[in-house]
Amino acid sequence: MDIKKIIDLSKKPKLFERSDQKFWDDPHISKKMLEVHIDPEFDAASRSYEFIEESIDWLVERILTGEDQNILDLGCGPGFYSKGLAEKGYSVTGIDLSKRSIEYAKEQIESEELDVEYKVQNFLELDYDQKYDAVIMMYCELGALTNQERDKLLEKVNNALKPGGVFVFDVFTANKREEHELNKSWDAVQQGFWAGNPYVSLTETFFYPEADTYLNQTIVVNEDDEISLYRIYEHYYDKGTITKVLDNFGFINHSFYSDLTGKKYSPNSRTLAVVTEKL
Ligand SMILES: C[S@@+](CC[C@H](N)C(=O)[O-])C[C@H]1O[C@@H](n2cnc3c(N)ncnc32)[C@H](O)[C@@H]1O
C-alpha cells in the first residue's frame, strides 16, 4: 500500500483544489446517489416530497407568475422540480451531469405528455442566449462550486435569461455547521457508498475560514491498493456575501428567504434562498 501517498493526500489541500475523480457521474456513486435522491426518508441529495411540493407551489404562486414561462432546471437530478413544474404547465429543460439521474427522470415522464426536455450536460458549459424566463438551481449546489466555477456559472445563467428573468437558488449559511466539529472518520466495508467492492475510506473535514468554505475529503483504498480521492466543497453565504457576488454579474432586486418554500428570511436559518433578476 502506498502509505506515503495516503499521508500526502491527508494534508489540508489548497482552497478549491479539486481531485480529478468523478463523483456525480461515477457509475457506482451515481447509483448510490440516485438511491438517496429517491428515498423519501432521506434528505441528503433531494429534499422530502412534501418540501418539494411546497416549494413548487411557492414558485408557481409567487415567483414564476408570467405567461408561457420557459424554465431551466440546473442540476435537476431525478427531475422532481422539472416534472412538478411541467405538470403546472411550464415548459422545462432539466440538465444534469449524472446519466443515471437523467435516465430515471426520463422514465418518470414516459407515459405523460409533459413539456420537459432532459439532457446530460455540465452546467458549467451552458450555452443559451436569452432563452429562459427563469433558471432554478435547487438544493445548495451553488455552494459546492469553487469561486471560479461559480463566477463562470453566474455569467452563463445571466446569458441564458431573458431580460427581467429570474434566477432562483439556495445556499447553506454558517448556521448549518455550528453543531458540527471538524472531524476525521474511517470505514472498512465489503461494499458501500464509495465502491461496490471491499474498501477502506478515510474522511476528514477541513475549514477555510478566510473563504467561508468547508471541504469534506474522502480517500478510498480498495483491495488492489488503488487510491481514489473525493473532494466536496461547501461554501456558505449570508445576505451580504451573496449580494456582493450577484452584483458583479448583472443581477438586481435580490429577495431573500429562509428556504425554497418562501419561508420568511431569518438570520438563524441553515439555508438562504435567493430570487434575483437579470437587469
Ligand atoms: C444536491 S443534488 C440536487 C438535485 C435536485 N436539484 C433536487 O433538488 O432534487 C445536485 C445535483 O447537481 C448535479 N450536478 C453537480 N454538478 C453538476 C454540473 N457541473 N453540471 C450539471 N449537473 C451537476 C448532480 O448530479 C446532482 O444531481
Side-chain angles (χ1 to χ4, degrees), residues 171-179 237-239 257-259 263-272:
V171 285
F172 288 119
T173 67
N175 301 326
K176 173 173 181 244
R177 286 277 180 172
E178 262 172 11
E179 70 267 35
Y237 292 89
D238 58 29
K239 272 186 183 186
Y257 307 84
S258 281
D259 65 28
K263 203 187 279 166
K264 189 171 175 287
Y265 167 78
S266 155
N268 301 323
S269 173
R270 288 157 54 96
T271 57
L272 176 68

Side-chain angles (χ1 to χ4, degrees), residues 220-277:
V220 177
V221 188
N222 71 14
E223 284 178 302
D224 300 325
D225 289 344
E226 288 163 346
I227 298 172
S228 309
L229 174 71
Y230 300 94
R231 289 187 177 143
I232 301 174
Y233 286 96
E234 190 180 298
H235 186 159
Y236 63 84
Y237 292 89
D238 58 29
K239 272 186 183 186
T241 51
I242 199 71
T243 294
K244 234 187 217 171
V245 174
L246 293 171
D247 286 352
N248 278 335
F249 289 92
F251 290 100
I252 55 166
N253 296 335
H254 324 308
S255 329
F256 299 102
Y257 307 84
S258 281
D259 65 28
L260 287 168
T261 65
K263 203 187 279 166
K264 189 171 175 287
Y265 167 78
S266 155
N268 301 323
S269 173
R270 288 157 54 96
T271 57
L272 176 68
V274 183
V275 180
T276 184
E277 204 178 302

Side-chain angles (χ1 to χ4, degrees), residues 58-60 62-66 69 71 85 90 134 136 166 168:
W58 171 66
L59 289 172
V60 172
R62 299 296 177 93
I63 310 296
L64 311 175
T65 50
Q69 298 232 328
I71 318 285
L85 288 168
Y90 298 91
I136 63 172
V166 290
V168 183

